[in-house]
Amino acid sequence: MSQVSSGHTSPDSDSLSPSEPNAPHSDGKDVSLMPPPSASTSRPISSGQTRSLPYRPLTPRNTNGLAMTDTPTSTAPNSPHILARSLSSGAAPGKARATTLDIPGLTKSIVSPDGRISQRDIGSKLVIVMVGLPARGKSYITGKLARYLNWLQHPTEIFNVGKRRRVATGGGHTLPSVNGDRTRPHSMRQSGLAVRAVSGVLDQNEMLPGPALAAHILLNGEPELSHPEYKEEEEPTALPPPEAIDQSASFFDPSNTKAFQLREQVALDTLDDLLDYLMNQGGSVGIFDATNSTLERRKLVLDHIRQVAGDQLGVLFLESQCMDEQLLESNMLLKLSGPDYHDMDPTTALDDFKKRVALYQKQYVPLGDYEEKNHMAYVQMIDVGRKLITHKVRGFLSVQAVFYLMNFNLAPRQIWVTRHGESEDNVTGQLGGDSSLTPRGQRYAKCLARFIEHERHLWEQKQTERQEKASLPPRSGRFTPPNPEYSLQQSSNRNFCVWTSMLKRSIETGEKFDDDQYDKKEMRMLDELNAGNMEGMTYEEIKAKKPEQYELRKRDKLHYRYPGPGGEGYLDVINRIQKVIIEVERTTDHVLIIGHKAVTRVILAYFKGLKRDDVADLDVPLNVLYMLEPKPYGVDFVAYRYDEEKDWFYEDTDFELRRATNPLA
């Protein structure tokens, strides 16, 4: 077992040390580096101790996600914040409770009527602690994982120490205030990703409003009252901008005591924000994104979590290793466009970054013997998914995360999504049903097959040209393989899958594809949302004959479930589409999904990282084809519209995802 001296400093960008001569604060923080004190609130901890955390209100954070790179925030209403158990429940204070699965829309309990993990069930929540040297793909992994968990309606947020460190050393406008999110600069507001640009759902005439400052659960038709503990925020306190500090490789030298103390404080502050998010703000998963590359550092992180949150909160260490030299070199080159090096000469920047990595490498201790001897849960990912090692993975959210990590890849491919061609029920406006295509729908299906064949060959031709021009290091205008998939696989003659639902209109749209050239499969998971005993009705008929159901759906379309046998809601569709999303992430082939309105909305919401409130209102008209191409740090998104006169598709360069003009559709 590796041994590390408790007083030894490390080059970890956010390392923590148990004892420092210049850190007299009880939390190990240098008082000279700390922001001004503010009001805080103490909470009981299961161990019987208390620890003060900065007060932050129970409001969803104003986040919007950029697909594949940033964290989409779930804007689902919080579960009731229960501060004490009923004396009649028979549960003694501090008792460890059962941590069975919680799935929004599929589970319900007294403390969680919406299926979300309640504030009381701290043992069901999860901290994911990232581990790994720089340029090992940690940010890519955390971004995708957070996007997936948020799409499943488990509120997840990334807390990136490096981005907070840049603000603290002069990379932002102000240091974060402890009075709440409204006092923070945009780059710090989430203690995580620097870029939170909306990947865009637009109203027909304007941008959608941001999420409300307070979300309420309706109990018996009335909004839940806020607990008196949570009072109105104080006015923001402006802080002076920090003095800019050089952040070259010398900043990460273990002999640089002042820089070490700053990194230590930033890491502790970030970890406190994460724990506050889980314990006070309705979060389910918090991802602590830092190198955490030393054994000493990981011990202290775990000790800090246990001190603040007790022994029940789940902790999963997730390490990303990179054995492939080409992948490592490519990742390093991609780092040069990041905030630490964007204004530096590329050659100088790469040399400095390699020196920084070398400082980490001297102290780096991979996950392994110590964690296993101490029964700590961990996952090791090698080459971004080529190999996966797990140990003591327990808990519903941990298993969901690991299952997802086992199935995604970076293989170059295209993912196409469209609705079926026009059906007979589309013409009459009837819900559900199993009607066939109209003549217009048949023409769309024929053109779709021709266009996809054209785009397939065009993509293969471009990939071949890029492979021939690939070089390391890259020259101007040249393409650099971002992962081993590019060099290990031949892009030409890549398989192409066509997936349809088991309803006639979807199957008939896919019939035009050549069975010898395309692998076609019908999936019941892709069937349209079932309208229960309202199947075959129009919205006008529902309004006239079932006005109470009409109003319920109008009030909250996302959570509404159609009554009657087989009736579904959007949360049901999300849960059955989960299997399809995993398969799309797993496969290295091209995929075309021919779905329906609700199905297309849910799939686009995943890949575009849309907010929860936008899913059920997304405008996805007939005769539009969407193309998504995964990239190392993003996803290319293109929309094509069908021109009936020319019988061909054209790229809509001004396309933006919008809300439907009819809010009931």
Side-chain angles (χ1 to χ4, degrees):
M1 181 176 68
S2 302
Q3 299 291 334
V4 180
S5 171
S6 61
H8 183 71
T9 61
S10 78
D12 195 316
S13 66
D14 319 299
S15 281
L16 311 176
S17 175
S19 60
E20 284 290 337
N22 297 322
H25 191 269
S26 60
D27 287 338
K29 302 180 182 181
D30 185 348
V31 177
S32 65
L33 297 172
M34 296 177 65
S38 69
S40 63
T41 178
S42 295
R43 294 179 285 97
I45 300 176
S46 59
S47 64
Q49 301 173 335
T50 60
R51 176 177 174 82
S52 294
L53 286 177
Y55 160 72
R56 294 180 179 89
L58 277 172
T59 59
R61 302 189 172 205
N62 184 19
T63 43
N64 300 297
L66 184 63
M68 311 290 277
T69 60
D70 286 348
T71 312
T73 292
S74 170
T75 54
N78 288 332
S79 296
H81 185 66
I82 299 177
L83 298 180
R85 303 184 185 89
S86 170
L87 294 177
S88 61
S89 67
K95 174 184 176 181
R97 305 189 62 86
T99 55
T100 55
L101 77 172
D102 290 282
I103 304 176
L106 295 188
T107 63
K108 181 190 293 187
S109 66
I110 294 176
V111 298
S112 181
D114 59 356
R116 290 267 301 278
I117 297 174
S118 72
Q119 289 296 101
R120 182 189 71 179
D121 294 335
I122 190 69
S124 295
K125 301 190 177 191
L126 179 65
V127 177
I128 297 177
V129 180
M130 296 303 298
V131 177
L133 297 171
R136 264 60 179 181
K138 296 189 298 299
S139 295
Y140 174 80
I141 293 169
T142 57
K144 287 199 65 171
L145 182 57
R147 179 167 58 90
Y148 175 70
L149 293 172
N150 272 305
W151 179 76
L152 291 178
Q153 313 309 312
H154 302 298
T156 301
E157 187 166 318
I158 297 173
F159 294 80
N160 186 287
V161 178
K163 290 183 173 65
R164 185 165 191 162
R165 180 255 304 163
R166 293 182 193 102
V167 174
T169 55
H173 298 297
T174 61
L175 282 172
S177 165
V178 294
N179 285 334
D181 288 339
R182 290 189 296 180
T183 64
R184 299 184 181 193
H186 181 72
S187 62
M188 276 298 302
R189 193 173 297 119
Q190 306 307 321
S191 302
L193 298 166
V195 180
R196 291 275 183 178
V198 62
S199 58
V201 178
L202 298 176
D203 204 334
Q204 292 297 339
N205 299 311
E206 61 182 357
M207 289 291 294
L208 286 171
L213 288 179
H216 300 283
I217 297 175
L218 295 178
L219 299 176
N220 297 322
E222 297 295 332
E224 180 194 9
L225 296 178
S226 299
H227 193 278
E229 174 186 341
Y230 298 98
K231 56 186 177 180
E232 182 66 23
E233 272 187 279
E234 298 177 1
E235 288 299 315
T237 301
L239 296 177
E243 181 181 353
I245 300 175
D246 174 50
Q247 295 184 66
S248 62
S250 61
F251 181 80
F252 303 91
D253 192 319
S255 62
N256 189 336
T257 305
K258 183 176 181 180
F260 175 84
Q261 291 173 350
L262 177 60
R263 297 198 308 270
E264 177 184 2
Q265 177 184 326
V266 168
L268 283 170
D269 288 342
T270 305
L271 189 56
D272 277 341
D273 275 356
L274 182 153
L275 295 173
D276 186 44
Y277 169 70
L278 294 182
M279 302 180 74
N280 293 335
Q281 301 184 39
S284 294
V285 181
I287 303 177
F288 189 59
D289 188 9
T291 54
N292 299 313
S293 56
T294 67
L295 181 58
E296 174 192 38
R297 166 67 180 274
R298 297 195 292 270
K299 289 179 181 178
L300 291 171
V301 168
L302 185 59
D303 287 345
H304 191 76
I305 293 171
R306 294 303 178 216
Q307 177 191 3
V308 174
D311 296 331
Q312 295 184 35
L313 181 61
V315 179
L316 176 67
F317 289 89
L318 173 54
E319 180 179 19
S320 179
Q321 295 185 5
C322 194
M323 304 298 184
D324 185 277
E325 291 299 325
Q326 187 181 58
L327 171 59
L328 180 58
E329 186 79 8
S330 301
N331 285 345
M332 286 188 174
L333 292 170
L334 288 171
K335 279 284 188 180
L336 302 189
S337 61
D340 285 340
Y341 295 106
H342 65 280
D343 291 330
M344 191 179 294
D345 172 73
T347 303
T348 304
L350 181 60
D351 181 63
D352 182 84
F353 184 73
K354 288 183 176 181
K355 291 179 181 178
R356 180 194 299 189
V357 174
L359 291 171
Y360 284 92
Q361 190 78 51
K362 292 179 181 179
Q363 304 292 329
Y364 178 47
V365 179
L367 297 174
D369 291 343
Y370 176 83
E371 286 76 15
E372 293 185 14
K373 290 179 180 178
N374 288 276
H375 310 289
M376 296 163 61
Y378 74 80
V379 178
Q380 281 182 319
M381 288 190 72
I382 292 88
D383 293 337
V384 197
R386 178 179 61 82
K387 181 179 179 181
L388 202 72
I389 300 171
T390 67
H391 177 262
K392 286 278 187 180
V393 175
R394 301 288 187 270
F396 177 69
L397 288 176
S398 293
V399 171
Q400 291 288 307
V402 172
F403 179 62
Y404 179 71
L405 295 174
M406 292 175 65
N407 285 282
F408 76 75
N409 68 84
L410 280 171
R413 65 200 189 280
Q414 290 185 324
I415 301 164
W416 298 84
V417 183
T418 187
R419 289 179 64 186
H420 54 78
E422 182 187 75
S423 70
E424 295 167 355
D425 285 341
N426 289 140
V427 176
T428 61
Q430 293 174 287
L431 302 183
D434 194 16
S435 62
S436 294
L437 296 180
T438 64
R440 290 181 65 194
Q442 290 287 352
R443 288 197 297 273
Y444 177 82
K446 292 177 182 177
C447 183
L448 176 66
R450 297 197 311 272
F451 182 75
I452 289 293
E453 181 70 12
H454 172 269
E455 291 296 306
R456 179 183 184 180
H457 289 301
L458 183 62
W459 185 89
E460 291 172 351
Q461 179 181 344
K462 290 181 179 178
Q463 290 298 311
T464 300
E465 293 174 356
R466 288 176 177 177
Q467 290 286 1
E468 293 173 351
K469 295 179 179 179
S471 61
L472 284 174
R475 296 187 290 275
S476 177
R478 294 293 177 91
F479 174 77
T480 300
N483 64 81
E485 298 282 359
Y486 280 84
S487 57
L488 296 177
Q489 294 189 8
Q490 293 294 326
S491 61
S492 60
N493 300 320
R494 187 177 294 276
N495 293 329
F496 204 120
C497 301
V498 177
W499 298 343
T500 71
S501 74
M502 290 191 172
L503 299 175
K504 289 180 184 177
R505 54 193 183 275
S506 176
I507 296 173
E508 291 175 1
T509 305
E511 284 179 346
K512 311 306 178 184
F513 289 87
D514 188 340
D515 290 330
D516 292 332
Q517 299 297 321
Y518 295 87
D519 298 300
K520 295 192 289 186
K521 183 169 292 186
E522 300 170 13
M523 298 183 178
R524 193 171 301 280
M525 296 87 74
L526 293 174
D527 283 1
E528 179 61 298
L529 185 153
N530 191 302
N533 58 22
M534 299 184 201
E535 285 273 311
M537 298 176 67
T538 65
Y539 290 120
E540 290 74 18
E541 290 174 333
I542 295 174
K543 183 177 182 180
K545 298 178 180 180
K546 298 180 181 294
E548 69 289 346
Q549 293 296 328
Y550 180 88
E551 290 299 326
L552 283 173
R553 185 173 183 273
K554 181 179 179 180
R555 187 185 308 164
D556 189 357
K557 196 161 83 172
L558 180 66
H559 295 90
Y560 176 80
R561 178 179 283 126
Y562 282 100
E568 291 183 303
Y570 272 90
L571 295 181
D572 299 302
V573 176
I574 288 173
N575 281 288
R576 61 174 161 89
I577 291 294
Q578 178 186 8
K579 301 179 181 65
V580 178
I581 292 298
I582 290 294
E583 187 65 9
V584 171
E585 292 286 7
R586 183 198 64 80
T587 186
T588 59
D589 300 323
H590 300 301
V591 176
L592 167 65
I593 299 175
I594 303 174
H596 305 266
K597 183 188 295 182
V599 168
T600 302
R601 283 171 168 166
V602 168
I603 292 175
L604 289 179
Y606 167 75
F607 282 106
K608 293 293 290 177
L610 301 184
K611 296 183 296 180
R612 174 185 174 122
D613 289 345
D614 295 333
V615 176
D617 294 321
L618 193 61
D619 185 31
V620 286
L622 295 171
N623 298 343
V624 177
L625 176 64
Y626 310 95
M627 189 280 293
L628 303 111
E629 187 169 355
K631 295 297 178 65
Y633 286 94
V635 56
D636 286 348
F637 177 75
V638 180
Y640 298 90
R641 294 189 183 273
Y642 175 56
D643 187 326
E644 292 190 63
E645 292 185 2
K646 297 181 179 180
D647 195 27
W648 195 244
F649 288 84
Y650 68 92
E651 180 181 347
D652 186 348
T653 55
D654 297 323
F655 181 85
E656 294 283 356
L657 291 174
R658 302 175 182 273
R659 278 183 173 168
T661 52
N662 180 3
L664 293 174

Short mmCIF file of all heavy atoms in Angstrom, two decimals, residues 131-133 291-294 298 319-321 359-367:
data_model
loop_
_atom_site.label_atom_id
_atom_site.label_comp_id
_atom_site.label_asym_id
_atom_site.label_seq_id
_atom_site.Cartn_x
_atom_site.Cartn_y
_atom_site.Cartn_z
N VAL A 131 -10.65 11.74 -10.52
CA VAL A 131 -9.23 11.49 -10.27
C VAL A 131 -8.53 11.36 -11.61
O VAL A 131 -9.05 10.71 -12.52
CB VAL A 131 -9.02 10.21 -9.44
CG1 VAL A 131 -7.52 9.93 -9.25
CG2 VAL A 131 -9.73 10.30 -8.09
N GLY A 132 -7.35 11.96 -11.73
CA GLY A 132 -6.59 11.78 -12.97
C GLY A 132 -5.69 12.96 -13.28
O GLY A 132 -5.95 14.09 -12.86
N LEU A 133 -4.65 12.69 -14.01
CA LEU A 133 -3.74 13.74 -14.44
C LEU A 133 -4.42 14.64 -15.46
O LEU A 133 -5.45 14.27 -16.04
CB LEU A 133 -2.48 13.11 -15.05
CG LEU A 133 -1.64 12.25 -14.09
CD1 LEU A 133 -0.56 11.50 -14.86
CD2 LEU A 133 -1.02 13.13 -13.01
N THR A 291 -8.05 17.21 -10.24
CA THR A 291 -7.12 16.11 -10.49
C THR A 291 -7.13 15.09 -9.36
O THR A 291 -7.09 13.89 -9.61
CB THR A 291 -5.69 16.65 -10.67
OG1 THR A 291 -5.36 17.45 -9.54
CG2 THR A 291 -5.59 17.48 -11.94
N ASN A 292 -7.16 15.55 -8.10
CA ASN A 292 -7.20 14.63 -6.95
C ASN A 292 -6.21 13.48 -7.14
O ASN A 292 -6.53 12.31 -6.90
CB ASN A 292 -8.61 14.09 -6.75
CG ASN A 292 -9.62 15.18 -6.48
OD1 ASN A 292 -9.39 16.06 -5.65
ND2 ASN A 292 -10.74 15.15 -7.18
N SER A 293 -5.00 13.82 -7.55
CA SER A 293 -4.07 12.81 -8.03
C SER A 293 -3.20 12.18 -6.95
O SER A 293 -2.44 11.26 -7.25
CB SER A 293 -3.16 13.42 -9.11
OG SER A 293 -2.49 14.56 -8.61
N THR A 294 -3.30 12.64 -5.71
CA THR A 294 -2.49 12.05 -4.65
C THR A 294 -3.36 11.32 -3.65
O THR A 294 -4.53 11.66 -3.45
CB THR A 294 -1.68 13.13 -3.90
OG1 THR A 294 -2.58 13.98 -3.18
CG2 THR A 294 -0.85 13.95 -4.87
N ARG A 298 -6.98 12.56 -1.67
CA ARG A 298 -8.24 11.82 -1.68
C ARG A 298 -8.70 11.48 -0.26
O ARG A 298 -9.90 11.46 0.03
CB ARG A 298 -8.10 10.57 -2.55
CG ARG A 298 -7.81 10.90 -4.01
CD ARG A 298 -8.03 9.73 -4.92
NE ARG A 298 -7.08 8.66 -4.72
CZ ARG A 298 -5.93 8.55 -5.35
NH1 ARG A 298 -5.53 9.50 -6.21
NH2 ARG A 298 -5.12 7.52 -5.15
N GLU A 319 -11.73 7.61 -11.79
CA GLU A 319 -10.41 7.95 -12.34
C GLU A 319 -10.38 7.74 -13.84
O GLU A 319 -10.88 6.73 -14.36
CB GLU A 319 -9.33 7.09 -11.69
CG GLU A 319 -7.93 7.38 -12.19
CD GLU A 319 -6.87 6.53 -11.52
OE1 GLU A 319 -7.22 5.48 -10.93
OE2 GLU A 319 -5.69 6.91 -11.57
N SER A 320 -9.80 8.70 -14.54
CA SER A 320 -9.61 8.58 -15.98
C SER A 320 -8.11 8.48 -16.28
O SER A 320 -7.35 9.40 -15.96
CB SER A 320 -10.20 9.79 -16.71
OG SER A 320 -9.99 9.70 -18.10
N GLN A 321 -7.71 7.36 -16.85
CA GLN A 321 -6.32 7.16 -17.25
C GLN A 321 -6.21 7.15 -18.77
O GLN A 321 -7.18 6.86 -19.47
CB GLN A 321 -5.79 5.83 -16.70
CG GLN A 321 -5.72 5.75 -15.19
CD GLN A 321 -5.07 4.47 -14.71
OE1 GLN A 321 -4.58 3.66 -15.49
NE2 GLN A 321 -5.06 4.27 -13.40
N LEU A 359 4.93 17.74 -13.13
CA LEU A 359 4.86 18.01 -11.70
C LEU A 359 3.79 17.13 -11.04
O LEU A 359 3.98 16.62 -9.94
CB LEU A 359 4.56 19.49 -11.45
CG LEU A 359 5.68 20.47 -11.81
CD1 LEU A 359 5.19 21.91 -11.72
CD2 LEU A 359 6.88 20.27 -10.88
N TYR A 360 2.67 16.99 -11.70
CA TYR A 360 1.63 16.10 -11.18
C TYR A 360 2.11 14.65 -11.15
O TYR A 360 1.84 13.89 -10.23
CB TYR A 360 0.37 16.18 -12.05
CG TYR A 360 -0.46 17.41 -11.87
CD1 TYR A 360 -0.25 18.53 -12.67
CD2 TYR A 360 -1.48 17.45 -10.94
CE1 TYR A 360 -1.03 19.67 -12.55
CE2 TYR A 360 -2.27 18.58 -10.81
CZ TYR A 360 -2.04 19.68 -11.60
OH TYR A 360 -2.81 20.80 -11.47
N GLN A 361 2.79 14.26 -12.24
CA GLN A 361 3.20 12.87 -12.42
C GLN A 361 4.10 12.40 -11.28
O GLN A 361 4.03 11.23 -10.87
CB GLN A 361 3.94 12.72 -13.75
CG GLN A 361 4.20 11.27 -14.17
CD GLN A 361 2.95 10.62 -14.75
OE1 GLN A 361 2.31 11.17 -15.64
NE2 GLN A 361 2.60 9.45 -14.24
N LYS A 362 4.92 13.30 -10.73
CA LYS A 362 5.84 12.91 -9.66
C LYS A 362 5.09 12.40 -8.43
O LYS A 362 5.58 11.52 -7.72
CB LYS A 362 6.72 14.10 -9.27
CG LYS A 362 7.72 14.53 -10.33
CD LYS A 362 8.51 15.74 -9.84
CE LYS A 362 9.50 16.22 -10.91
NZ LYS A 362 10.25 17.42 -10.43
N GLN A 363 3.93 12.95 -8.15
CA GLN A 363 3.19 12.62 -6.94
C GLN A 363 1.96 11.74 -7.21
O GLN A 363 1.26 11.38 -6.26
CB GLN A 363 2.73 13.92 -6.26
CG GLN A 363 3.84 14.89 -5.95
CD GLN A 363 4.77 14.38 -4.87
OE1 GLN A 363 4.36 13.64 -3.99
NE2 GLN A 363 6.04 14.76 -4.94
N TYR A 364 1.72 11.42 -8.46
CA TYR A 364 0.48 10.74 -8.84
C TYR A 364 0.41 9.32 -8.27
O TYR A 364 1.33 8.52 -8.41
CB TYR A 364 0.40 10.69 -10.37
CG TYR A 364 -0.81 9.97 -10.91
CD1 TYR A 364 -2.09 10.22 -10.42
CD2 TYR A 364 -0.67 9.05 -11.96
CE1 TYR A 364 -3.20 9.57 -10.94
CE2 TYR A 364 -1.77 8.40 -12.49
CZ TYR A 364 -3.03 8.66 -11.98
OH TYR A 364 -4.12 8.02 -12.49
N VAL A 365 -0.70 9.03 -7.60
CA VAL A 365 -0.97 7.69 -7.07
C VAL A 365 -2.32 7.24 -7.62
O VAL A 365 -3.36 7.77 -7.22
CB VAL A 365 -1.00 7.67 -5.53
CG1 VAL A 365 -1.30 6.26 -5.02
CG2 VAL A 365 0.32 8.18 -4.96
N PRO A 366 -2.36 6.27 -8.52
CA PRO A 366 -3.65 5.81 -9.08
C PRO A 366 -4.51 5.16 -8.01
O PRO A 366 -4.03 4.75 -6.95
CB PRO A 366 -3.23 4.80 -10.16
CG PRO A 366 -1.78 5.06 -10.41
CD PRO A 366 -1.22 5.56 -9.13
N LEU A 367 -5.79 5.07 -8.29
CA LEU A 367 -6.69 4.33 -7.41
C LEU A 367 -6.27 2.86 -7.38
O LEU A 367 -5.77 2.33 -8.38
CB LEU A 367 -8.13 4.44 -7.91
CG LEU A 367 -8.76 5.84 -7.93
CD1 LEU A 367 -10.13 5.78 -8.59
CD2 LEU A 367 -8.86 6.40 -6.53
#
